[in-house]
Each structure stands twice: as C-alpha cells, then as structure tokens.
Amino acid sequence: MQRVEKEIERLINEIDYDEVSKLFSMLSGGKRLRAKLILKIASEHNDAPLLAAIVELIHAASLLHDDVIDDAMTRRGVASVNATDGSKTAVMLGDILYSKGFTELVAFDKEVARTIAASVTALSKGEMMDVKMAESFNSDEALYLDMLYLKTATLIEAAAKASALLVGKDASKHALYGKNLGLSFQIIDDILDITATEEALGKPAMNDFVEGKCTLPYIYLYEELNDADKKRLIKAHGQKIDAEESAWIQTKMQEFKTVEKSFQLAQKLSNEAQTVMSDDAELVNILKSMIQRSY
Ligand code: FPP
Ligand code: MG
C-alpha cells in the first residue's frame, strides 16, 4: 500500500497547486478498499499502484461532491471540505482530482480505461437516483438495490475487473466478486446506521432515514406494517425524528427482524462472491472481514 500512497502523492504534486496539496492532505484516506483490491488482484503488474491511485482519487472526488450534495459536515470523523472551506472549493477540488485520475487513465489499455471511466458515469447516475429517491418514501426494494449497485458497487466492480484485465485474469468472475463485495458492503453500512451508536458512527444514528434514505431495513419494515403504521412510518420519513418515534421504529424493526433480513441479503451476496472466488483465499478473506465489520 505504501506504493499506492506514493503514487497518490506524486499525482497530487503534479497538479502543482499548493492549495490542492494542502486540502488533499487534510482528507482522511479511509480504508482504501478499492486500492487494496487492485493490489491484491494485479499484484505482479508494475502499473497496479498507479491504477489504484487513480481509483482512489476518483473515489475521493465522488465523496467531496457527495458531501456537498448531502450537506454533510463531517466525513470519516473529520470536518468535510464543504464545512471548512465551502461548497465551491469542495466541488472544484473534486473536479481536479477526478480529471487528474482520467488524465492518467488514458495511458492504460483501452479496455482497462473504459471499465473505470464507464463506472464513473454509473456512479454519478446512482447518486442522482439516490437524491431523487430521497424526495419521497421509497418502498421498492429492486429500485433501491439498482441505485445501490450504481452508486457504490460499480466503482468496486470496475476496480476488480480492470485489475483482472491488467494481468489477464478472468474479468467477469472478478467483476461479479467486486459487485457483490460493494453491494454487501453498502448493505452492512445501512444496517450500521441503525444499529451502531452515534459515537461509533461519527454521525447521529438513523441519519439515513432523516436524510430521506429508505434503506433495506426500512423497506422490509414497510412491507410488514399494517396500514396505520405504514402511514406513521411515512410521516417520520425525511425529517428529524424525536426519541419516541425512533424508539418505535427500532422496536418494530426488532419485531419483524428487518435488520436480520437485510443482513441475510448481504450474507447471500457475500457467499455468492466467495463461491466464485473460492480459489483465492485473500479475496475471500476481504469479504469475510467486511461482513463481520463493526465500527
Ligand atoms: C456516498 O453515498 C456517495 C457515493 C459512493 C458516490 C457519489 C458519487 C457522486 C457524487 C458522483 C460524482 C462523481 C465524481 C467522480 C465527481 P452516501 O451519501 O450514501 O454515503 P456517505 O454516508 O458515505 O456519505
Ligand atoms: Mg453522503
């Protein structure tokens, strides 16, 4: 991973603007899940650290823009760029990072470059769907999973596929692995928003629902409730909820085991990916630790 950090630093230095270097150094790097995946899959390839650095720049850009869109004041426990330096700066920093990523991408094989580039269109589409869907209560599971796939899983899918292409491994097998890893990762994230404490999350618990996001445990809950309770749930959607309402939602979720049901889907997707990747213990382990993850 040190080689990836070095490549990221080199690319940032090439941008040749102190303001960018300063702002970038203040971002928290996060788990670098996508970079780790690329290094694992294409470890023997000289350009793997560069590809990993490009994908991390694109990912960082998407989060900068996402925090502006979501009006988020924190990111990974630290103040977001839009909070400290304003939305204009956050958007422009995002533009610089992802365009730098694309500039470097053109040096790669066409199929590798296309895989990453196309995923950025997909994740932008996913973000747009997410915003649209938050305007009203969504109870459509398939639509939710489509959005989740586009918004979070496509870049992970593309990272796995592109790195497989780089070293001549089975691209579709790795793509499926990346897709399911991304989907189950996001479902676990959605679950933690409900089950983890504010302290552990670095943001208020049940924040997704307050922001209008009907994640799987809410969708499954809606399916189980009677008409009066359905109305009550819809009423609570998309606004600050008081302690009584959030306790009611939590109780109902426990009654209908909607968190467990969501976890089962994450597990099913993870198992599918473990099966296709059964000959690669390291990739299987990434999945296992992700499923067991707690903050
Ligand atoms: C986080 O979602 C957001 C994403 C994973 C993708 C955001 C994508 C864009 C803004 C498209 C623009 C892309 C580029 C490259 C500029 P979330 O809000 O559900 O998760 P969070 O809790 O981490 O904020
Ligand atoms: Mg967000």
Side-chain angles (χ1 to χ4, degrees):
M1 278 303 288
Q2 251 179 342
R3 286 169 68 202
V4 178
E5 297 303 332
K6 272 211 139 34
E7 282 297 83
I8 292 177
E9 203 184 314
R10 184 177 67 79
L11 299 183
I12 296 296
N13 287 338
E14 275 182 16
I15 294 165
D16 194 23
Y17 188 22
D18 289 349
E19 193 59 24
V20 168
S21 300
K22 189 194 87 191
L23 286 167
F24 188 81
S25 73
M26 278 153 55
L27 299 178
S28 151
K31 295 176 283 294
R32 300 269 195 245
L33 168 72
R34 294 152 189 81
K36 283 184 186 145
L37 210 55
I38 293 170
L39 285 196
K40 283 228 153 63
I41 296 169
S43 55
E44 70 264 38
H45 201 288
N46 265 343
D47 289 336
L50 175 59
L51 185 64
I54 291 169
V55 170
E56 287 296 333
L57 288 193
I58 291 171
H59 178 55
S62 77
L63 297 181
L64 283 162
H65 285 189
D66 178 67
D67 284 342
V68 171
I69 293 163
D70 286 349
D71 247 329
M73 293 298 117
T74 57
R75 165 65 58 188
R76 295 162 177 159
V78 298
S80 59
V81 174
N82 47 306
T84 57
D85 294 76
S87 292
K88 290 182 184 177
T89 301
V91 169
M92 292 182 294
L93 182 63
D95 290 343
I96 290 171
L97 296 183
Y98 86 76
S99 56
K100 179 62 179 164
F102 273 74
T103 305
E104 298 303 315
L105 201 54
V106 298
F108 279 82
D109 163 78
K110 207 170 166 187
E111 214 27 50
V112 171
R114 198 182 167 78
T115 298
I116 301 293
S119 80
V120 181
T121 309
L123 79 102
S124 305
K125 252 171 71 182
E127 179 81 351
M128 203 156 164
M129 279 172 77
D130 191 23
V131 170
K132 267 257 55 60
M133 283 164 65
E135 285 170 4
S136 58
F137 189 92
N138 171 60
S139 58
D140 185 337
E141 181 188 358
L143 183 67
Y144 178 71
L145 290 174
D146 264 0
M147 181 278 291
L148 220 55
Y149 163 60
L150 291 170
K151 191 185 69 168
T152 355
T154 42
L155 190 56
I156 302 174
E157 178 186 39
K161 183 181 170 187
S163 45
L165 285 168
L166 209 55
V167 290
K169 289 185 179 171
D170 186 327
S172 60
K173 210 168 106 170
H174 283 79
L176 177 78
Y177 170 87
K179 176 181 177 175
N180 283 19
L181 173 69
L183 278 172
S184 47
F185 177 87
Q186 190 58 45
I187 294 170
I188 300 283
D189 220 55
D190 292 350
I191 289 174
L192 288 169
D193 180 80
I194 296 161
T195 59
T197 61
E198 177 164 352
E199 194 194 355
L201 288 169
K203 60 184 176 186
M206 298 177 84
N207 195 47
D208 284 344
F209 199 60
V210 173
E211 283 183 354
K213 296 176 183 176
C214 291
T215 58
L216 278 186
Y218 295 93
I219 294 173
Y220 293 151
L221 177 60
Y222 183 81
E223 286 169 3
E224 299 285 351
L225 293 175
N226 63 34
D227 286 351
D229 284 347
K230 274 190 168 81
K231 280 197 185 114
R232 184 169 171 180
L233 185 65
I234 291 176
K235 198 157 174 265
H237 168 257
Q239 51 199 307
K240 251 185 131 27
I241 28 178
D242 59 27
E244 193 189 330
E245 277 318 87
S246 68
W248 176 75
I249 293 172
Q250 294 266 4
T251 308
K252 287 289 173 191
M253 280 185 173
Q254 275 159 23
E255 185 183 335
F256 295 114
K257 298 192 172 8
T258 69
V259 167
E260 287 85 342
K261 204 174 156 196
S262 311
F263 188 74
Q264 278 160 15
L265 179 61
Q267 208 147 30
K268 185 179 145 238
L269 292 164
S270 162
N271 288 344
E272 234 174 72
Q274 288 184 40
T275 307
V276 294
M277 221 33 93
S278 56
D279 52 354
D280 190 325
E282 279 193 286
L283 288 184
V284 167
N285 278 338
I286 292 184
L287 267 166
K288 282 189 179 154
S289 57
M290 195 274 307
I291 272 284
Q292 287 155 4
R293 147 178 91 108
S294 69
Y295 280 81

